[in-house]
Amino acid sequence: MFDQSTLPIPQTPRPDQREVQEFVRHGLAEATTLTRELPLPGQGSTRELWARMSDLARQDLALARIVEPHLDATAIIDQAGRRDLLTDSDTWAVWAAEGPGTPLTATPSRDGWTLSGTKPWCSLADFVSRAVVTAHVADESGELTGHRRAFVISTDHAGFLPEHNDTWVAQGLADVPTTAVDFREVPAEPLGEDEWYLTRPGFAWGGMGVAAIWLGGAQSVADLLWQRSRQPRKPLDDVALAHLGRVDLALTAASAVLDRAACAVDNGDATGEKGALWALRVRRTVADAAETVLREVSRATGPGPLTGDAAHIRRVMSLQVYIRQDHAERDNKALGELLLAAAPAGEEGTPW
């Protein structure tokens, strides 16, 4: 057994751009197919939805990263009661991240709304035809109101300008192109009222759906350890068995909390504060499990897979990047605050 804590993970060649384009188009085609096959969250089959997404991520985490926002956008539009916006030909993304630079601002006019400013981390901006985008709301004089709102935009407008400056230097998820986008008076259609996007029950459900994909990515990394444990080059010692046991505990716990959360979603017990609690529990549990898997598999298998197995390197790097959407200790703190805030006054019971 080797401790990988001091060994650098080698760089893998960046994928050829034509191969990336082919891969993304394949992923978006898969997304449109799955939209017709998979249930929406909160309609009685959430466990099936998340299990299918975990399975897809276990096969190819980058592919699941392409499919997930299309499915999420479809769910958001359904929750807003605007299925009239959906067509069989459109492909979708969801861009809700905030970052440095000029914030994306939504300004009303007699002719509707327009978006101007910069939106960071817009995955697949060069590939999708439409997107759900969050923006800071301004009044007609251009003064910010302090609210955010979701909008639907088309990417074929002349004012929609992805920044092609190759700032995504990570090897993980390198075949899911991500860039900032400059918006210059891009027409936009409101989706819900101010703050609806962040306060709807589906916001928490979407966050848990992403965690289901993290779980599949972690399972794909753990598969290597399982294969080597079943067909060892030499008899497994106690340390090797301990690594295997630790991985099983982490993945089983993550699967269990996802299943319980799916039941809560479908039973109507994951809205408001309860939904936020479940989202934090799920995302933190699955992210911790993924980090455990990365650590234990690395220690158990040594430097070989991280220097000579391109597919394993890709899985490890992509998972490391993807789970950093989790906020780690900050979400632990937020969970503790929510637990105390949700506790009924005067009751002695615990949340578990």
Side-chain angles (χ1 to χ4, degrees):
M1 301 300 161
F2 296 87
D3 186 343
Q4 285 293 112
S5 61
T6 60
L7 290 176
I9 294 177
Q11 298 279 303
T12 56
R14 294 185 68 79
D16 178 87
Q17 288 307 303
R18 286 173 297 181
E19 293 177 356
V20 169
Q21 291 170 8
E22 244 179 75
F23 178 73
V24 171
R25 292 190 183 104
H26 164 69
L28 290 173
E30 183 77 5
T32 58
T33 299
L34 288 173
T35 299
R36 295 189 290 269
E37 295 179 1
L38 294 179
L40 292 170
Q43 296 189 3
S45 300
T46 303
R47 185 178 184 276
E48 176 192 345
L49 169 65
W50 291 350
R52 288 284 299 275
M53 293 308 296
S54 288
D55 289 344
L56 183 64
R58 191 170 187 171
Q59 297 168 31
D60 192 318
L61 186 58
L63 180 63
R65 177 67 182 85
I66 292 170
V67 169
E68 182 274 328
H70 180 94
L71 297 180
D72 190 33
T74 301
I76 293 166
I77 291 164
D78 179 79
Q79 292 157 16
R82 292 299 312 274
R83 290 195 68 85
D84 57 293
L85 295 171
L86 298 173
T87 70
D88 290 335
S89 58
D90 280 318
T91 52
W92 289 84
V94 179
W95 301 323
E98 299 288 336
T102 306
L104 187 63
T105 302
T107 306
S109 69
R110 288 181 301 176
D111 300 323
W113 293 79
T114 60
L115 304 186
S116 296
T118 302
K119 196 67 172 173
W121 300 304
C122 296
S123 294
L124 311 177
D126 284 306
F127 296 90
V128 296
S129 59
R130 308 194 81 185
V132 175
V133 187
T134 58
H136 296 265
V137 177
D139 59 25
E140 292 185 356
S141 66
E143 292 294 322
L144 292 176
T145 65
H147 295 288
R148 278 194 289 170
R149 196 170 188 175
F151 296 84
V152 169
I153 61 101
S154 295
T155 61
D156 59 359
H157 188 268
F160 180 85
L161 302 168
E163 297 180 357
H164 297 128
N165 51 12
D166 199 27
T167 56
W168 187 268
V169 298
Q171 298 298 317
L173 297 177
D175 37 10
V176 184
T178 300
T179 185
V181 174
D182 289 330
F183 287 74
R184 298 181 185 177
E185 297 186 350
V186 176
E189 184 166 356
L191 201 60
E193 301 297 327
D194 288 356
E195 311 301 340
W196 171 83
Y197 175 85
L198 296 170
T199 57
R200 64 193 166 89
F203 183 74
W205 305 346
M208 290 185 273
V210 169
I213 295 176
W214 296 346
L215 175 59
Q219 289 169 333
S220 73
V221 172
D223 286 342
L224 174 71
L225 178 60
W226 179 246
Q227 293 161 7
R228 293 198 170 196
S229 299
R230 291 295 304 275
Q231 298 176 330
R233 295 176 182 174
K234 59 183 181 179
L236 300 180
D237 61 15
D238 289 348
V239 174
L241 293 170
H243 286 307
L244 182 61
R246 186 70 187 89
V247 165
D248 177 73
L249 289 173
L251 293 177
T252 301
S255 295
V257 76
L258 265 168
D259 284 351
R260 282 196 61 190
C263 289
V265 168
D266 287 336
N267 291 337
D269 202 29
T271 62
E273 284 188 346
K274 289 183 178 179
L277 277 169
W278 272 116
L280 287 167
R281 286 167 174 157
V282 166
R283 288 171 67 88
R284 286 273 58 241
T285 301
V286 177
D288 277 352
E291 290 180 338
T292 296
V293 167
L294 288 166
R295 181 183 68 248
E296 298 295 326
V297 171
S298 175
R299 291 179 176 181
T301 60
L306 291 176
T307 57
D309 185 337
H312 180 71
I313 294 169
R314 180 174 179 261
R315 288 191 290 266
V316 167
M317 289 184 167
S318 293
L319 182 59
Q320 286 175 327
V321 170
Y322 207 170
I323 61 173
R324 288 284 60 83
Q325 289 184 0
D326 169 66
H327 299 128
E329 286 74 18
R330 289 182 175 84
D331 278 353
N332 288 344
K333 170 182 175 290
L335 176 57
E337 289 176 339
L338 268 178
L339 287 169
L340 291 174
E347 291 193 11
E348 296 297 325
T350 69
W352 49 83

